[in-house]
Amino acid sequence: MQITLIILLVLALLGLIDTSYLIKKRKSAAPPVCPIGGHCNLVLESKYSTVLGIHLDLLGFLYYAGIITLTLLTIFHVWDPELLTILLQIGVGAGVLTSLVLILTQWLIINAWCFWCTISALLSFAMGLTLMIAYYA
């Protein structure tokens, strides 16, 4: 269980770094470096880059911060571990489903790929896989 939480923590920290980079670039109006594909701005400036007027990079940041918080609370036994585990599973599950929708949106609707967005989705998928292996294997 501890190794699962450490893996989740590392993956969520990487997600926090990823989304922080995108927020910084958006705030400075500078295009992000797009190492693969070169279409990051096409995705990041599309009409699909916000939900109810909130940028997805900010929502991603809040998602990763929430996972980090829940993971740390679980590691340090600050709250009921059973409840925290359920909240982690729900949170990561929601992140995986959201990432799947956003990957499909890049592929089927926008027809362009954002390297940083895809990295974030892969991190969410890795967190989901980590939890599935730990709790259901």
Side-chain angles (χ1 to χ4, degrees):
M1 174 68 169
Q2 267 323 79
I3 189 69
T4 299
L5 295 172
I6 299 299
I7 292 169
L8 276 182
L9 189 60
V10 169
L11 292 170
L13 284 169
L14 291 172
L16 204 65
I17 292 167
D18 177 75
T19 55
S20 295
Y21 173 75
L22 290 175
I23 292 168
K24 178 182 175 196
K25 288 299 185 178
R26 179 173 48 81
K27 292 286 186 184
S28 68
V33 173
C34 200
I36 298 173
H39 299 291
C40 289
N41 270 351
L42 189 60
V43 174
L44 295 171
E45 294 175 1
S46 77
K47 67 180 183 178
Y48 304 101
S49 66
T50 61
V51 174
L52 301 174
I54 303 169
H55 288 273
L56 291 176
D57 53 13
L58 178 58
L59 292 174
F61 181 90
L62 294 173
Y63 162 68
Y64 289 116
I67 298 301
I68 289 168
T69 301
L70 290 171
T71 303
L72 288 173
L73 289 172
T74 305
I75 289 171
F76 293 109
H77 307 287
V78 175
W79 209 22
D80 178 21
E82 189 172 313
L83 178 60
L84 289 170
T85 298
I86 292 169
L87 292 174
L88 270 172
Q89 290 171 339
I90 291 169
V92 171
V96 168
L97 291 176
T98 301
S99 294
L100 180 61
V101 168
L102 294 174
I103 286 290
L104 290 172
T105 301
Q106 288 183 86
W107 179 36
L108 299 172
I109 298 173
I110 303 172
N111 295 313
W113 294 95
C114 167
F115 173 80
W116 303 104
C117 306
T118 304
I119 291 296
S120 181
L122 291 173
L123 290 168
S124 284
F125 296 151
M127 289 192 299
L129 185 62
T130 299
L131 283 179
M132 285 176 57
I133 291 169
Y135 295 106
Y136 302 112

